[in-house]
Amino acid sequence: MARYAMDTQKRLHENISALVDGELPDSERELAFAALGTVEGQAAWRAYHLTGDVLRSAPGGELSAGFEAALAARLAAEPDQAPASAPSAGPADPAAAQRQDQAESPADVILP
């Protein structure tokens, strides 16, 4: 049953993506419009439109002032990644690890 629900959700996302691109067959539109009546469907609609806007934008846009410094600071704050084959000895700062685990990634916010 869970597999069917996952396949259905994937299909709905594919339909919404095709609808955004103007490539959804007429026979699939009713289902896509129904999905847009849900919170998840609306989030997918916004995410696909944002993705399309970014892909269509002109390359070479200017970054905001301080972007490079802010990015460098975030990268410096990232924990060192151990090789996948090395056993984990546990976090040096358990509180910091918990805060990081609780933070939502951009992908979690954009696509459900």
Side-chain angles (χ1 to χ4, degrees):
M1 180 74 174
R3 170 105 173 127
Y4 175 75
M6 196 164 76
D7 289 344
T8 300
Q9 289 299 324
K10 181 179 177 185
R11 181 73 178 151
L12 289 175
H13 278 259
E14 289 171 353
N15 283 351
I16 292 171
S17 176
L19 180 65
V20 170
D21 294 338
E23 298 176 358
L24 187 65
D26 290 341
S27 62
E28 303 280 333
R29 286 197 177 135
E30 187 175 341
L31 185 60
F33 287 137
L36 291 175
T38 67
V39 172
E40 182 177 316
Q42 292 169 11
W45 176 263
R46 287 189 301 273
Y48 291 125
H49 270 281
L50 178 61
T51 301
D53 291 345
V54 169
L55 291 173
R56 286 185 296 276
S57 68
E62 294 299 319
L63 300 175
S64 62
F67 177 82
E68 185 178 349
L71 178 60
R74 274 190 85 168
L75 290 174
E78 288 285 322
D80 290 335
Q81 297 294 320
S85 60
S88 174
D93 180 2
Q98 183 178 10
R99 285 190 304 272
Q100 182 178 351
D101 288 343
Q102 292 172 348
E104 290 183 336
S105 75
D108 292 337
V109 174
I110 293 174
L111 291 177

